[in-house]
Amino acid sequence: MRCFDVRVIAFAVVTTAIQSVAAQAPIPLVDIKSVNPSILVELRYAGRINLTGHPLYPLGTRALVRPEVAAALAEAQIFLRQYQCGLKIWDAYRPVPVQVRLWQAAHNNDYVANPEAGAGSLHSWGVAVDATLVDAWNRPVRMPSDFDDFTPAAMWHYAGADPEIRSHVHLLQIAMRNAGFYGLRTEWWHFTIADWQKYLPPEKAKRAAQVFGTHWQGKL
């Protein structure tokens, strides 16, 4: 298998909240690129190409996750390099104020976690990322849909007939599964570290499991 070549201003309140929350986050976070600089980062919520149409992160925001998640991403990257591919991160740690904005824009539990239900978004606990593939030259490859595409094309199990797209999404899923991630039924780009519950307070983990239990995908 090989990859195929395929040819701001933030809101003041949200920006302040992001800077404050990220600086005082009660969880340990590391920059993904500090663990593996070859992983490409394009935070979609730092620009306008997202479901809100507005930047929600200030310029210069880094892709942060828990150290264990960063190590697992590095493992997935090493695997993908064997196939002349690599990871591109669309989102990582997401402060709660940003999750609130996304929920206000979507109000759809299939795609956006209600910040007041369960543990909110697992992005806000540093245990989830949104990722896609790039080729060896960091160019995007063909995938089932774009980011924040709330259509059947975004489903974990690709239902299209294009063998190139099928091979790309399958490769991404294999790499992330082997590195210790679960997928999400409604978003092919979303991955959560498999042992995520141990990183949350017990009661939060229990409530989150009740909310997300039917959404996980592990089998290909």
Side-chain angles (χ1 to χ4, degrees), residues 3 23 41 60-62 65 92 96 121 125 133 146 154 160 190 193 205 218 220:
C3 270
V41 171
T61 296
R62 297 171 296 160
V65 290
V96 174
S121 171
W125 295 92
L133 287 184
D146 196 4
H190 178 96
I193 200 71
L220 303 180

Side-chain angles (χ1 to χ4, degrees), residues 6-66:
V6 180
R7 296 292 177 182
V8 161
I9 299 175
F11 294 100
V13 173
V14 174
T15 297
T16 301
I18 293 169
Q19 293 169 335
S20 175
V21 173
Q24 302 174 24
I27 56 178
L29 297 170
V30 299
D31 185 345
I32 291 171
K33 291 186 74 68
S34 72
V35 176
N36 190 317
S38 71
I39 297 176
L40 194 64
V41 171
E42 181 194 335
L43 295 180
R44 284 296 187 90
Y45 297 128
R48 297 182 180 277
I49 307 176
N50 61 66
L51 71 92
T52 70
H54 300 283
L56 302 178
Y57 296 161
L59 292 176
T61 296
R62 297 171 296 160
L64 305 176
V65 290
R66 288 182 176 271

Side-chain angles (χ1 to χ4, degrees), residues 32-33 35-41 69-89 131-136 138 171-172 174-176 178-179 181:
I32 291 171
K33 291 186 74 68
V35 176
N36 190 317
S38 71
I39 297 176
L40 194 64
V41 171
V69 176
L73 290 172
E75 182 179 338
Q77 181 77 345
I78 291 171
F79 175 87
L80 288 169
R81 285 310 192 197
Q82 301 176 66
Y83 299 93
Q84 294 78 52
C85 288
L87 289 172
K88 175 157 70 173
I89 303 300
T132 186
L133 287 184
V134 293
D135 66 16
N138 284 341
L171 177 61
L172 175 63
I174 290 173
M176 296 300 278
N178 290 352
F181 289 91

Side-chain angles (χ1 to χ4, degrees), residues 98-157:
V98 172
Q99 187 65 27
V100 171
R101 292 298 303 267
L102 294 176
W103 175 249
Q104 291 171 342
H107 276 285
N108 186 331
N109 273 319
D110 285 338
Y111 298 98
V112 179
N114 182 343
E116 297 183 358
S121 171
L122 295 182
H123 280 282
S124 300
W125 295 92
V127 296
V129 296
D130 295 327
T132 186
L133 287 184
V134 293
D135 66 16
W137 295 272
N138 284 341
R139 297 175 299 192
V141 302
R142 296 180 63 207
M143 297 299 276
S145 71
D146 196 4
F147 179 62
D148 273 1
D149 183 322
F150 298 164
T151 71
M155 299 296 286
W156 170 266
H157 292 291

